[in-house]
Amino acid sequence: MEGIVAVVGRPNVGKSTLFNRLVGKRMSIVDDTPGVTRDRIYAKAEWLGKEFMLIDTGGIEPDSKDVILSQMRIQAQLAIEKADVIILVTDITTGVTASDADVAAMLQKSGKPVVLCVNKCDSVGDVPPEFYEFYNLGLGEPIAVSSAHGHGTGDLLDAVFENMPEESAANDYPEDAIKVAVIGKPNAGKSSLINKIAGEDRMIVSDIAGTTRDAVDTVITRNGQQYVFIDTAGIRRKSKVNEQIEKYSVLRAYMAVDRADVCVIMIDANEGYTEQDSKVAGYAHEQGKASVIAINKWDSIEKDGKTMQEFTKKLEVDFSFMSYAPFVFISALTGQRIDKLFELIKYTSEQNARRISTGTLNDMLAYATARVQPPSDKGKRLKIYYMTQASSKPPTFVIFCNDKELFHYSYQRYIENQIRESFGLDGTPIKIVIRERGE
């Protein structure tokens, strides 16, 4: 991931249309009503083989005369604080407005790289005379773009990457370092865990939920293995994300998952499993990450002989969608079972990166299909020819058959269970891709 690019501008200049064009799919709601983008929407985008995170800034709801400018100030301030490069979108049809000039001045003072986009230049060829007044904003050479038709977007992205800062050496870790994202609800004890592991107060630890604003890397060497712990701001429900800046914190948390090899999903033992925990875990599962579920604050729970067993049974039901993930009951405060957590992180990372030979897979497949016959429908039986592993992280298997429609989900689950029974692959999701012969 190369960096974060924020798209800012006043209402109705075409920010969302530009966002959709750069991402390559319709994600933002596009409407002629000013302020229709009510939330920040972000997505991965790619240009010439380089990936970056693009943010469509929103939240501008003009209720009074002054609110547009004040909301634009907040929006620009957030972009200044968190983005690596800022695209300021203006509109050729309205020319330079007072709002454009005000935000341009703010962006200049920030010292952040800004690329000036003059949108709605829909005719191909020479730009209209009005284009040249945008030089007055003092942000360098404007780039004429038509987000509706796609003209000029290549030049715009070239300019973005010319201004992208170099990756810092601090993020240049050895290849064998295991990158670990510690994710979960605010105040679950993520920072306390990293402080305990690091043996120093690396993070600000506070009882106020949402203290950690940004993802911070902590490098630990343990038993000869290097780990990079990425502490993240807590991921909370969108309805609870009142502060504008927290939306960027949530973005950083998701980006941390993207960077990680293993996700440690922190559950507060006092609160138990919540819907929000399922969202956090669901994101890690969708991204194909190895995962460990750490139940923190276990020292504060009153126990009898069956407490852990009962808690585990309940969590197995709650996390049934990722039944492969192991549980560990820890205390970030006392250091209880931190060694066990490290063992699981290393083990699940190895399983996530594991490769299995085609011959071994097909021996397992022959046994599995002999044990439970493939399904048939209207006299036509599913024939499975062979399977192979296409990639790792997560382990992805391609199965070739005579008819995809006959390969029911239940039989896919059976094959997945057979793969796990034969090869382990604990702690990692498995992806199965069904292909018909000839595809």
Side-chain angles (χ1 to χ4, degrees), residues 119-355:
N119 196 20
K120 304 187 186 177
C121 297
D122 294 340
S123 57
V124 183
D126 293 337
V127 292
E130 307 90 85
F131 176 79
Y132 296 98
E133 71 171 293
F134 288 90
Y135 279 93
N136 296 331
L137 291 174
L139 294 172
E141 191 171 339
I143 296 170
V145 170
S146 168
S147 53
H149 300 112
H151 313 321
T153 51
D155 293 339
L156 182 70
L157 288 171
D158 283 342
V160 164
F161 275 94
E162 277 169 26
N163 287 282
M164 194 71 78
E166 291 290 320
E167 275 291 305
S168 66
N171 291 334
D172 193 17
Y173 306 117
E175 262 186 53
D176 62 345
I178 299 172
K179 292 186 278 299
V180 184
V182 184
I183 58 174
K185 289 199 313 294
N187 215 25
K190 300 182 296 297
S191 297
S192 300
L193 173 66
I194 292 173
N195 286 343
K196 190 71 182 176
I197 289 167
E200 57 176 302
D201 288 338
R202 178 68 192 260
M203 310 290 171
I204 300 163
V205 178
S206 164
D207 285 339
I208 302 161
T211 307
T212 309
R213 287 282 187 212
D214 214 341
V216 182
D217 291 359
T218 305
V219 182
I220 311 283
T221 303
R222 199 173 180 109
N223 299 327
Q225 173 66 56
Q226 199 170 68
Y227 300 85
V228 180
F229 278 85
I230 310 162
D231 183 54
T232 58
I235 303 174
R236 63 176 74 198
R237 277 200 303 275
K238 281 199 176 170
S239 59
K240 292 283 176 90
V241 183
N242 296 322
E243 290 180 79
Q244 298 275 19
I245 198 163
E246 288 232 349
K247 292 177 182 174
Y248 276 91
S249 297
V250 171
L251 162 65
R252 289 279 182 179
Y254 283 139
M255 285 182 74
V257 171
D258 291 338
R259 279 179 59 205
D261 300 311
V262 180
C263 293
V264 173
I265 298 153
M266 293 278 277
I267 306 290
D268 186 330
N270 297 298
E271 289 186 30
Y273 175 87
T274 66
E275 184 196 346
Q276 194 54 19
D277 292 317
S278 75
K279 296 255 173 65
V280 173
Y283 187 75
H285 173 72
E286 283 164 20
Q287 299 306 306
K289 302 297 178 179
S291 294
V292 176
I293 297 162
I295 298 90
N296 190 27
K297 307 183 186 177
W298 193 241
D299 56 313
S300 64
I301 299 291
E302 283 186 31
K303 305 171 194 69
D304 57 33
K306 295 181 180 174
T307 311
M308 190 180 286
Q309 196 179 349
E310 286 166 2
F311 212 99
T312 302
K313 271 186 187 173
K314 187 176 182 311
L315 285 174
E316 280 171 353
V317 174
D318 295 331
F319 283 101
S320 57
F321 65 95
M322 52 190 310
S323 54
Y324 53 82
F327 300 112
V328 59
F329 293 82
I330 66 167
S331 167
L333 193 65
T334 66
Q336 184 184 19
R337 296 194 190 86
I338 298 292
D339 287 342
K340 177 69 174 171
L341 178 63
F342 270 100
E343 282 173 29
L344 287 172
I345 288 168
K346 190 175 181 191
Y347 177 65
T348 56
S349 173
E350 287 165 355
Q351 295 297 300
N352 189 244
R354 194 167 165 201
R355 283 196 167 271

Side-chain angles (χ1 to χ4, degrees), residues 56-67:
D56 180 16
T57 57
I60 300 173
E61 296 177 33
D63 297 321
S64 68
K65 288 176 186 174
D66 298 323
V67 97

Side-chain angles (χ1 to χ4, degrees), residues 48-90:
L48 301 178
K50 294 174 183 173
E51 271 194 343
F52 61 99
M53 189 65 82
L54 189 68
I55 308 168
D56 180 16
T57 57
I60 300 173
E61 296 177 33
D63 297 321
S64 68
K65 288 176 186 174
D66 298 323
V67 97
I68 292 181
L69 189 54
S70 66
Q71 290 280 3
M72 271 194 77
R73 281 177 185 278
I74 292 168
Q75 191 187 95
Q77 195 60 54
L78 288 167
I80 287 165
E81 194 163 330
K82 294 294 176 190
D84 297 305
V85 180
I86 299 156
I87 299 174
L88 174 60
V89 185
T90 56

